Amino acid sequence: MIELQGIGIGQGVAIGRVLRMPEPLPEPVTTRSTLDPDAELARATASMHVVAEDLEARGERAGGTAQEVLEAQAMMAEDPTLIEEVTSRLHKHQTAERAVFEAFATFRDQMLALGGYLGERAADLDDVAQRVIANLGGLPAPGVPDPAEAFVLVAHDLAPADTALLNLDKVLGLITIDGGPTSHTAILAREKSITAIVGTHAAAQLADGDEVIIDAANGIVLVAPSAKQLAEARARILAREARALAPIGPGRLKDGIPVPLLANLGSADGAAKAVALGAEGVGLFRTEFLFLDSTSAPTVTQQREQYERMLREFPGQKVVVRALDAGADKPLAFLNDAAEENPALGLRGLRALRASEDILREQLTALAEADAATDADLWVMAPMVSTVEEAAYFTALAHELGLKTAGVMVEVPSAALLADRILAQTDFASIGTNDLTQYTLAADRMLGSVAAFQDPWHPAVLRLVGEVGAAGASLGKPVGVCGEAAADPLLAVVLVGLGATTLSMSASALADVRASLADFTLEQARHLAAAALTADGAASARAAATAIAHSYTSTAPTGTGPTVLTTPERGTQK
Ligand code: PEP
Ligand code: MG
């Protein structure tokens, strides 16, 4: 048995035999074209158009986030600057195939160099190029194999067009060799609840027919598993299926204490699914996702329409909207115009908004207007708050502009350490564990080489969460958690034990977290938290909490299994 490490997406477990994605088309030859440049250009643009239309059509079939991704790809296929790049190469008598290959590669390299969110879009460009080159050669579009038997798909990094239309009856699970937790593959896999592991570098050694277990909760792939491991995995699959069928009720602990379970959304599109999965409101609405492609600031009217559309989906329920969190991995052209050496430590979040206060005022005005026109319970919060003064500033401004409940995200260690003083200035706190982990462990959350440090189980992160929880309890102010940590069923219990009063996550995680909370009383959750806090590192914190959880429940809590105990310590340093 071999164990491969990757980054698990969600909590799924899958068992199956590997089928690898076919290798990409060979690089087009560099020989001089026998056609004149205009004839080659006609060929190239015709193929680019066919590919754009095909991607649009796939988008319409897929709907939701997938449609947005595929539409963005369709636009890449006919991007005028790319066509200019292709044309200039055709005038040097390259073939259409070669010119397309080189032009797209140039753009891909530029995106990779930019890194962050844009860097992770580079794979999308490669896919478009492959599709155009295949069309030029009269070949079928590259894509997922379609054998008679169900299989586990292994690919370098799946193109959005392929992930969006994966046949879930055939594809039992997905392993990618490249890709990070925020790649499109990961985003779409999460949305479609596909059992997936990304960034599994060692998966390059997997061959067709290898039997594997994908254990997304623990971020591992077991190759050639033993009979015992197979039996354990089957039991976990069955338990998860049973939980998905369990009646949907509000989040609560075993002793009946409510822990409202909220959804993280990036647009109104995911709202219906979140409601169907039992979301009791929205704990994080990421407004910057609405404007990632905008070159100028959206108007108050444009914004109000978007916010109203989303608020209408949650009548009478709490909806926490975050002010634009621009910068670092999510740059917005109209807010972040200066080049920065270390953008995660730069003018991002509330800092960027204060530097362009008119944009912040307009956003809060649009939100207040949307609030007045709908009957959701709207709360607003500021991202990347690092000082007490910033918390006071944002809260006062939001109140001044008519918003009744204004709070701050705790994503920077300084805000966690001074949580009592910050909470004294504001209405609530919401802990963003993705950034809080990044800044506590000093490890770029987008960088594969330090991904092992990005583990919110680290006791340093948990101690900071505990500071915020204690401050909230003593001041009687709500403390939510809206980072990915809240989607880990056992960690969710620990977070509640540390004082979180609500949890917000991708809608696909709600069922597992709801089931896990119902297994523990508040006192037990506090014991789990205390055990995790005494550990030296992330893996031992998780192991300590798992051991205590086992002593309280006869079956393992959701998403955790004995393999957790053997996972090497992650994210710790000597
Ligand atoms: C976080 O940092 O945990 C968070 C929820 O915000 P984002 O992931 O959008 O930075
Ligand atoms: Mg954040």
Side-chain angles (χ1 to χ4, degrees):
M1 191 274 299
I2 309 168
E3 185 179 304
L4 314 179
Q5 302 269 350
I7 302 161
I9 304 299
Q11 299 292 317
V13 181
I15 305 170
R17 293 203 177 268
V18 162
L19 199 56
R20 294 183 63 105
M21 190 84 168
E23 287 304 315
L25 298 168
E27 194 175 308
V29 290
T30 52
T31 42
R32 192 181 161 93
S33 167
T34 52
L35 299 176
D36 73 69
D38 288 340
E40 285 286 24
L41 181 61
R43 288 180 66 223
T45 49
S47 286
M48 288 163 110
H49 185 63
V50 169
V51 168
E53 291 210 314
D54 176 53
L55 289 165
E56 286 269 1
R58 283 165 173 264
E60 268 166 37
R61 286 206 299 280
T65 310
Q67 183 166 5
E68 285 163 32
V69 172
L70 292 171
E71 277 171 0
Q73 264 198 312
M75 280 171 70
M76 288 177 188
E78 292 193 289
D79 184 280
T81 332
L82 259 168
I83 295 181
E84 268 173 37
E85 284 277 334
V86 170
T87 311
S88 81
R89 286 177 166 75
L90 295 177
H91 283 292
K92 291 178 197 146
H93 299 285
Q94 288 189 349
T95 60
E97 286 85 346
R98 184 72 201 178
V100 165
F101 172 80
E102 287 189 9
F104 275 80
T106 309
F107 271 60
R108 189 254 336 272
D109 291 347
Q110 286 169 2
M111 281 172 87
L112 273 179
L114 288 171
Y117 180 84
L118 288 175
E120 293 209 349
R121 300 289 82 81
D124 304 3
L125 263 181
D126 282 341
D127 174 62
V128 178
Q130 289 270 313
R131 284 170 193 277
V132 176
I133 295 166
N135 185 273
L136 280 165
L139 301 168
V144 178
D146 190 19
E149 298 293 312
F151 60 99
V152 167
L153 181 63
V154 177
H156 276 276
D157 192 2
L158 222 52
D162 294 324
T163 319
L165 294 178
L166 273 190
N167 177 351
L168 298 183
D169 293 331
K170 285 278 178 66
V171 180
L172 300 163
L174 173 64
I175 303 170
T176 71
I177 295 163
D178 304 323
T182 53
S183 61
H184 269 142
T185 311
I187 293 169
L188 296 176
R190 216 173 262 128
E191 183 172 293
K192 294 182 68 133
S193 307
I194 299 172
T195 300
I197 295 210
V198 300
T200 319
H201 305 302
Q205 70 194 50
L206 289 172
D208 285 353
D210 282 349
E211 184 167 44
V212 292
I213 296 175
I214 302 182
D215 179 351
N218 294 309
I220 50 175
V221 177
L222 298 173
V223 189
S226 66
K228 183 165 173 276
Q229 286 169 321
L230 282 168
E232 274 171 11
R234 283 195 197 102
R236 285 175 60 194
I237 293 172
L238 288 176
R240 205 158 178 261
E241 284 170 1
R243 270 196 303 280
L245 294 174
I248 294 175
R252 57 179 73 245
L253 294 167
K254 194 172 183 176
D255 47 15
I257 294 176
V259 182
L261 298 179
L262 311 167
N264 288 354
L265 293 181
S267 81
D269 293 338
K273 181 183 168 201
V275 171
L277 290 170
E280 296 167 63
V282 177
L284 169 63
F285 186 73
R286 290 179 161 106
T287 54
E288 61 284 354
F289 280 11
L290 295 173
F291 308 115
L292 278 180
D293 298 327
S294 309
T295 47
S296 56
T299 63
V300 171
T301 314
Q302 281 168 340
Q303 294 193 60
R304 192 186 60 219
E305 280 165 12
Q306 297 274 4
Y307 304 145
E308 277 188 26
R309 191 157 84 86
M310 192 266 308
L311 290 173
R312 281 212 184 86
E313 303 278 348
F314 297 93
Q317 286 182 308
K318 170 167 145 181
V319 175
V320 185
V321 175
R322 174 170 77 184
L324 289 168
D325 183 18
D329 56 314
K330 296 170 288 197
L332 291 181
F334 56 91
L335 260 173
N336 311 100
D337 49 2
E340 292 178 330
E341 190 92 348
N342 292 302
L345 303 180
L347 210 55
R348 87 163 269 213
L350 183 61
R351 301 170 186 179
L353 289 169
R354 276 185 102 168
S356 307
E357 200 192 88
D358 47 335
I359 293 180
L360 174 58
R361 283 181 171 270
E362 282 175 12
Q363 184 175 29
L364 294 175
T365 304
L367 281 163
E369 288 178 10
D371 189 23
T374 55
D375 55 9
D377 177 18
L378 176 65
W379 296 21
V380 294
M381 64 183 179
M384 280 290 296
V385 168
S386 49
T387 68
V388 178
E389 188 274 332
E390 283 177 333
Y393 160 82
F394 178 80
T395 311
L397 185 64
H399 288 167
E400 175 198 318
L401 294 174
L403 292 149
K404 63 185 180 317
T405 314
V408 301
M409 288 195 73
V410 176
E411 309 184 272
V412 182
S414 61
L417 290 165
L418 293 190
D420 51 347
R421 276 168 263 174
I422 288 206
L423 269 170
Q425 300 290 336
T426 194
D427 300 328
F428 70 96
S430 179
I431 305 173
T433 48
N434 306 336
D435 276 313
L436 188 58
T437 309
Q438 148 165 279
Y439 294 123
T440 304
L441 276 300
D444 184 341
R445 65 190 261 192
M446 306 296 290
L447 199 61
S449 55
V450 293
F453 291 89
Q454 186 68 29
D455 191 334
W457 275 99
H458 197 284
V461 178
L462 299 181
R463 197 186 280 194
L464 292 173
V465 171
E467 289 286 336
V468 190
S474 76
L475 293 166
K477 302 224 170 145
V479 171
V481 175
C482 64
E484 281 300 309
D488 173 331
L490 189 63
L491 185 49
V493 178
V494 169
L495 295 170
V496 171
L498 291 169
T501 53
T502 58
L503 300 172
S504 190
M505 63 206 75
S506 327
S508 53
L510 288 165
D512 284 332
V513 172
R514 186 182 296 114
S516 180
L517 290 180
D519 279 342
F520 303 93
T521 64
L522 182 58
E523 200 192 339
Q524 290 172 339
R526 287 183 177 143
H527 285 158
L528 260 64
L533 282 173
T534 57
D536 286 343
S540 48
R542 190 200 292 236
T546 304
I548 304 221
H550 276 130
S551 73
Y552 290 137
T553 56
S554 48
T555 53
T558 319
T560 57
T563 40
V564 169
L565 299 168
T566 62
T567 307
E569 195 68 76
R570 299 202 308 159
T572 52
Q573 306 164 74
K574 292 264 171 329

